[in-house]
């Protein structure tokens, strides 16, 4: 509905304002923002993103747009078009919840992805479940072969975080590193918590 796009526009503007404040303090962060399939079908969506990063003087590479794997397989043509337009403007694209929607290798190969996020349902049990561990390892190998960053969702304990250290370059996301917090709390958390050195945020 139109309300969904209005909400996304509000979130993106709020994010841009915050990113500019971080940049002005010399603390640049790469920020990911989830969008809906309705947003992708909005004809002005990419143009609005382009104008937003220009208005707030944000390097486009700092902004990453997240879509889910289910969105990809349900509307590959539109997603591919938007992905190409985002890449032309230097804005990143992330594929969220990977492993839940049965996307094909051909579909992945066609997209200019910046990162793939392995769904928490596999990551959360990878220490005790060999099948889940095999899936996470396979996604890691595939993404690295395609030159795409890998984010493991659902890292909620030290055992899982330690297991991910065997997969080079993997970025961990989950309550083990930090819970959702207000922007004003982020700086103190990054300074105090030695586990957070990645320089990312998510809306």
């Amino acid at each position: 509905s139109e309300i969904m796009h209005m909400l996304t526009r509000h979130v993106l503007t709020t994010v841009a304002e915050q990113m500019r404040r971080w940049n002005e303090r010399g603390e640049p962060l790469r920020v990911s923002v989830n969008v809906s399939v309705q947003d992708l079908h909005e004809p002005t969506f990419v143009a609005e993103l382009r104008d937003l990063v220009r208005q707030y003087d944000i390097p486009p590479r700092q902004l990453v747009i997240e879509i889910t794997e289910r969105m990809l397989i349900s509307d590959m043509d539109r997603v591919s078009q938007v992905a190409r337009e985002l890449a032309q403007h230097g804005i990143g694209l992330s594929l969220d919840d990977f492993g839940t929607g049965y996307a094909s290798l051909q579909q992945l190969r066609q997209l200019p992805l910046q990162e793939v996020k392995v769904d928490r349902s596999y990551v959360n049990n990878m220490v005790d479940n060999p099948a889940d561990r095999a899936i996470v390892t396979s996604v890691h190998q595939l993404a690295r072969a395609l030159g795409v960053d890998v984010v493991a969702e659902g890292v909620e304990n030290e055992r899982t975080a330690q297991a991910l250290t065997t997969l080079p370059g993997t970025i961990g996301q989950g309550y083990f590193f930090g819970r959702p917090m207000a922007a004003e709390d982020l700086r103190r958390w990054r300074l105090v918590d030695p586990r957070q050195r990645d320089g990312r945020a998510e809306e």
Side-chain angles (χ1 to χ4, degrees), residues 7-47:
L7 176 60
T8 300
R9 188 183 296 119
H10 170 73
V11 170
L12 285 167
T13 301
T14 303
V15 165
E17 291 173 346
Q18 182 60 57
M19 291 174 73
R20 181 169 64 181
R21 287 194 288 271
W22 283 330
N23 288 348
E24 289 173 347
R25 292 203 308 246
E27 301 173 348
L29 289 173
R30 181 163 56 122
V31 180
S32 299
V33 180
N34 297 86
V35 301
S36 71
V37 67
Q38 292 97 323
D39 295 315
L40 298 188
H41 281 279
E42 182 67 32
T44 61
F45 177 64
V46 176

Side-chain angles (χ1 to χ4, degrees), residues 1 8 10 13-14 19 39 42 48 62 76 81-82 85 106 108 129-130 138 142 164 170 198 201 203:
S1 69
T8 300
H10 170 73
T13 301
T14 303
M19 291 174 73
D39 295 315
E42 182 67 32
E48 289 176 7
Q62 283 185 244
M76 181 64 186
Q81 179 183 343
V82 172
E85 293 175 1
Q106 177 70 6
L108 289 184
N129 188 317
S138 297
L142 171 63
L164 289 172
T170 301
D198 175 50
E203 291 290 337

Side-chain angles (χ1 to χ4, degrees), residues 4-170:
M4 177 59 72
H5 190 59
M6 291 169 60
L7 176 60
T8 300
R9 188 183 296 119
H10 170 73
V11 170
L12 285 167
T13 301
T14 303
V15 165
E17 291 173 346
Q18 182 60 57
M19 291 174 73
R20 181 169 64 181
R21 287 194 288 271
W22 283 330
N23 288 348
E24 289 173 347
R25 292 203 308 246
E27 301 173 348
L29 289 173
R30 181 163 56 122
V31 180
S32 299
V33 180
N34 297 86
V35 301
S36 71
V37 67
Q38 292 97 323
D39 295 315
L40 298 188
H41 281 279
E42 182 67 32
T44 61
F45 177 64
V46 176
E48 289 176 7
L49 286 175
R50 179 202 61 204
D51 293 342
L52 198 64
V53 296
R54 289 177 179 174
Q55 177 185 349
Y56 289 91
D57 195 25
I58 299 168
R61 66 182 180 277
Q62 283 185 244
L63 180 62
V64 179
I65 297 301
E66 277 193 23
I67 61 171
T68 65
E69 186 183 6
R70 294 185 187 279
M71 289 167 60
L72 170 63
I73 62 176
S74 67
D75 199 349
M76 181 64 186
D77 290 341
R78 180 57 184 165
V79 170
S80 296
Q81 179 183 343
V82 172
R84 290 191 297 269
E85 293 175 1
L86 290 174
Q88 290 174 358
H89 296 297
I91 298 171
L93 181 67
S94 173
L95 186 59
D96 197 9
D97 298 338
F98 186 70
T100 62
Y102 308 104
S104 70
L105 298 182
Q106 177 70 6
Q107 289 172 316
L108 289 184
R109 190 174 66 84
Q110 291 177 348
L111 289 178
L113 290 172
Q114 181 169 329
E115 68 181 22
V116 170
K117 305 183 74 171
V118 188
D119 189 69
R120 62 179 293 112
S121 61
Y122 303 115
V123 176
N124 206 26
N125 298 314
M126 65 176 290
V127 174
D128 300 314
N129 188 317
D132 286 345
R133 183 165 60 251
I135 291 172
V136 174
T137 301
S138 297
V139 173
H140 172 267
Q141 293 173 342
L142 171 63
R144 298 282 284 186
L146 295 173
V148 176
D149 291 338
V150 183
V151 178
E153 301 180 293
V155 183
E156 298 187 353
N157 54 65
E158 188 170 0
R159 294 175 67 217
T160 305
Q162 186 62 34
L164 289 172
T165 63
T166 64
L167 304 176
T170 301

